[in-house]
Amino acid sequence: MIVVKNLCKDYGNIHAVNNVNFCISKGEIVSLLGPNGAGKTTLMRLITGYIEATSGEVRIFDKDIKTSRIECLQRIGYVPESGFLYNEMRVFDFLHYAAQLRNMNNTDFQENLQQVIYNLDLKEVINQKIETLSKGFKRRVGIASALIHNPDILILDEPTEGLDPNQKVSLRQYLKNYGRNKIIIISTHIMEEVEAMAGRVILLNHGKLVKDTSPEELKKLFPEHNIETAFYKITNEVN
């Protein structure tokens, strides 16, 4: 479980995350929505301990991310929107490096490697240098590195960026299956992605949590019954 309690992150007079509270349980796929500057990336960085909160707390399976970050990160896989790949490395070497960072033994690495290669369709590029890959393949390699240790929590920022339509469908289905026994948080601007995968929406605006509901209930808030319309009206009405 993830517990976020009274969480705040300030940059001077800017309240990037402003007193946010929620809990996420095993088996939930949550879409983190909000306009640019709403605090989504800051919130994900706070959950992973990448940055420290001004106040409040994040607990990962009852461990405080601030005081037990290494232990918490053993259970988290995180893929930021901007790349973090080492272009000079082969795909295999990069995934092996990601496994070593998690202190995985070779048996577990080989077993998990075969799973991510199959599930993310990386067989044809496993021995290529990352710099030679298309944007879609690079994105899948990034996701594979976050999955290599079979994390209990997967946090993805714009996971289908750069993927073609067929790859998007395949990845969404895989994530839905993976999320049945895990926790997945997805930040995206693609509303069809929200409806295709998420059972819950956490909507941020100006650093505040303004809605915590399901995609279906979000659509019902307005006569149009359209998630894009709901997003637009809520984020333009709430200050």
Side-chain angles (χ1 to χ4, degrees), residues 140-166:
R140 280 183 278 167
V141 170
I143 294 172
S145 71
L147 286 166
I148 197 65
H149 62 301
N150 192 28
D152 296 307
I153 298 170
L154 185 62
I155 301 174
L156 305 173
D157 196 349
E158 301 291 351
T160 63
E161 183 181 4
L163 302 186
D164 66 36
N166 289 333

Side-chain angles (χ1 to χ4, degrees), residues 13-130:
N13 294 324
I14 298 172
H15 305 300
V17 171
N18 191 353
N19 197 35
V20 169
N21 293 270
F22 60 80
C23 298
I24 304 176
S25 300
K26 179 179 176 181
E28 287 194 276
I29 300 178
V30 178
S31 180
L32 196 60
L33 290 182
N36 292 334
K40 304 185 298 299
T41 296
T42 301
L43 179 57
M44 288 185 287
R45 289 175 176 175
L46 289 167
I47 291 173
T48 59
Y50 183 79
I51 57 176
E52 283 194 16
T54 303
S55 60
E57 64 178 332
V58 175
R59 300 192 71 83
I60 305 296
F61 295 101
D62 209 32
K63 299 288 184 180
D64 190 325
I65 191 70
K66 185 176 181 179
T67 57
S68 306
R69 184 170 183 252
I70 299 301
E71 188 175 353
C72 290
L73 287 181
Q74 293 295 329
R75 308 186 75 169
I76 297 174
Y78 173 45
V79 182
E81 182 179 8
S82 56
F84 62 99
L85 305 174
Y86 295 107
N87 286 326
E88 70 278 8
M89 296 179 76
R90 294 185 308 149
V91 173
F92 174 86
D93 295 331
F94 180 71
L95 296 179
H96 188 225
Y97 170 68
Q100 289 178 315
L101 291 177
R102 307 290 183 175
N103 294 317
M104 292 179 67
N105 61 54
N106 192 58
T107 300
D108 288 342
F109 167 64
Q110 291 294 339
E111 181 179 335
N112 289 2
L113 178 66
Q114 295 308 311
Q115 291 180 16
V116 298
I117 288 174
Y118 174 78
N119 289 319
L120 296 174
D121 195 20
L122 294 174
K123 184 177 180 179
E124 67 179 272
V125 301
I126 192 65
N127 290 311
Q128 287 184 219
K129 283 191 173 183
I130 292 172

Side-chain angles (χ1 to χ4, degrees), residues 26-28 61 151-152 176-183:
K26 179 179 176 181
E28 287 194 276
F61 295 101
D152 296 307
K176 284 184 72 173
N177 291 335
Y178 188 81
R180 289 174 181 171
N181 297 303
K182 308 286 185 176
I183 291 172

Side-chain angles (χ1 to χ4, degrees), residues 206-224:
H206 301 298
K208 296 180 180 180
L209 193 159
V210 294
K211 288 293 177 184
D212 185 349
T213 187
S214 69
E216 287 303 315
E217 290 302 314
L218 186 63
K219 289 192 290 186
K220 290 178 183 178
L221 293 175
F222 298 96
E224 294 87 350

